[in-house]
Amino acid sequence: MTAKKWHDPYEHPSLLKRFATPILRGLHDVLPEPVYEAIYNPAFSLYQWSIRESYARGIALARRDGDSQRVTKMERVYRVMKHSLVGAPGLEHTHDLAQTVIDEGVPGAFVECGVAQGGCAALLTQVAAGDHDGRHCWFFDSYEGLPEPTADDFENGRTGQHIRPLPKGSCLGTIEQVSELLFDEIAADRGQVHLVKGWFQDTLPVKREAIGPIALLRADGDWYESTKCVLENLYDAVSVGGHVIIDDYCSCYGARRATDEFLAGRGVHTTLIPDGRGGASFEKPRTALPEAQVA
Ligand SMILES: C[S@@+](CC[C@H](N)C(=O)[O-])C[C@H]1O[C@@H](n2cnc3c(N)ncnc32)[C@H](O)[C@@H]1O
């Protein structure tokens, strides 16, 4: 594997995760599902609300410091946070990469595979709208939630560092919800933004020609087969200097396995950059190593 090794959240989870995960797993094992949901859902909403409140305080500080670029980024992130599972550090990382490819003139669309309720998609459309050349955005999802994981997703009976299991249908966002967010709330340009409903395995091979070059690719489908399908169908379309985000590289075993296998199989020599929350990204390098040089 050619990717650089770095502080690994698998081995060093955050304090909150270390504290909360065993408690929640224990409760999940002993409580009936409806009782567990009745405890977990409000607790999680409260946790998300407190994160948003503290983020809003961060915006006020950035305003006080006169840091207008940071204020713009944080306001965009704040606007979409409650619609996203990605978390503020992951959203900021996505914002930075989207802005970087615009600033560097890397050609191509913004593509997200795994949209859920559309928070990150809404962020990308806001950044795209700031580009004079007008970037297209493509958002692929079943809009029916996650498929079942497969054997390649599991290690010791678990699929990753989630605080609770993710059965089929989890992370659901409907196409109606996402359309409302993007077109009514964010006022995205309908001519530039494309929502494609269906399983990646069916939609990506059909649409990849229409997408053309890609400047930023977000693979956020959690599972091995989903991540592998995104990379196999779309990596070749990523422009040199473009970026690929694997949102679940550090949180889902299958997403990491699919990425490592793909990079090693293609001899892609690159450095994975953690997003500070559970994902990682890499820049598409100019050349691949000859196969013999790949570890
Ligand atoms: C973790 S969520 C995405 C989170 C989202 N990016 C956000 O901002 O909150 C994962 C999404 O991937 C979608 N998904 C996973 N595998 C898929 C596949 N093979 N085909 C279509 N959609 C898939 C699920 O429907 C789900 O909405």
Side-chain angles (χ1 to χ4, degrees):
M1 176 62 213
T2 52
K4 189 181 160 194
K5 283 283 165 207
W6 29 268
H7 168 84
D8 189 334
Y10 275 160
E11 286 155 29
H12 309 284
S14 72
L15 204 61
L16 179 66
K17 216 162 200 179
R18 260 185 284 169
F19 176 70
T21 305
I23 295 176
L24 287 169
R25 281 186 183 154
L27 286 176
H28 189 262
D29 289 345
V30 297
L31 293 174
E33 195 65 29
V35 179
Y36 179 78
E37 294 286 323
I39 296 171
Y40 178 88
N41 290 339
F44 188 62
S45 299
L46 187 66
Y47 167 72
Q48 285 185 311
W49 172 82
S50 71
I51 301 268
R52 286 200 301 276
E53 285 302 295
S54 104
Y55 199 77
R57 286 195 293 279
I59 298 177
L61 287 180
R63 269 200 208 107
R64 195 197 60 191
D65 294 345
D67 188 343
S68 62
Q69 272 187 354
R70 178 137 187 82
V71 171
T72 302
K73 171 166 77 174
M74 290 183 80
E75 283 177 345
R76 286 173 176 167
V77 167
Y78 183 74
R79 212 172 163 196
V80 305
M81 272 172 99
K82 65 170 181 285
H83 304 286
S84 184
L85 299 163
V86 171
L91 291 170
E92 288 201 1
H93 187 69
T94 297
H95 185 286
D96 290 345
L97 293 179
Q99 194 58 57
T100 298
V101 294
I102 289 178
D103 294 345
E104 293 179 354
V106 178
F110 294 163
V111 179
E112 185 178 56
C113 301
V115 175
Q117 295 180 12
C120 195
L123 179 66
L124 288 172
T125 61
Q126 291 181 79
V127 185
D131 184 12
H132 302 300
D133 299 335
R135 285 190 189 244
H136 283 262
C137 296
W138 291 81
F139 299 126
F140 291 86
D141 203 293
S142 67
Y143 297 106
E144 292 177 14
L146 286 170
E148 291 283 4
T150 58
D152 287 307
D153 289 300
F154 286 88
E155 279 180 24
N156 301 319
R158 298 204 179 273
T159 53
Q161 298 286 325
H162 333 292
I163 228 143
R164 66 172 176 174
L166 295 171
K168 186 168 192 271
S170 304
C171 308
L172 172 69
T174 65
I175 199 159
E176 290 77 16
Q177 265 177 317
V178 176
S179 302
E180 197 180 315
L181 173 63
L182 297 188
F183 300 122
D184 300 341
E185 208 174 312
I186 304 286
D189 181 342
R190 285 177 189 269
Q192 303 273 107
V193 174
H194 315 273
L195 307 188
V196 185
K197 178 173 164 59
W199 301 110
F200 301 156
Q201 290 79 349
D202 301 323
T203 55
L204 299 182
V206 175
K207 289 289 178 187
R208 69 179 162 207
E209 242 184 80
I211 301 170
I214 297 172
L216 181 64
L217 174 62
R218 278 196 103 255
D220 193 357
D222 292 24
W223 301 146
Y224 176 86
E225 288 296 339
S226 302
T227 308
K228 182 175 164 195
C229 180
V230 172
L231 291 171
E232 285 181 349
N233 278 286
L234 300 183
Y235 181 77
D236 289 334
V238 176
S239 305
V240 168
H243 291 264
V244 180
I245 300 173
I246 310 292
D247 184 78
D248 310 296
Y249 187 82
C250 309
S251 53
C252 293
Y253 302 131
R256 174 182 284 212
R257 183 174 293 150
T259 307
D260 289 351
E261 284 177 10
F262 181 84
L263 294 176
R266 290 294 197 90
V268 178
H269 183 67
T270 190
T271 302
L272 284 158
I273 313 286
D275 71 1
R277 169 210 138 260
S281 67
F282 61 92
E283 182 176 337
K284 182 164 182 176
R286 204 157 291 279
T287 50
L289 283 179
E291 227 149 85
Q293 291 183 40
V294 179

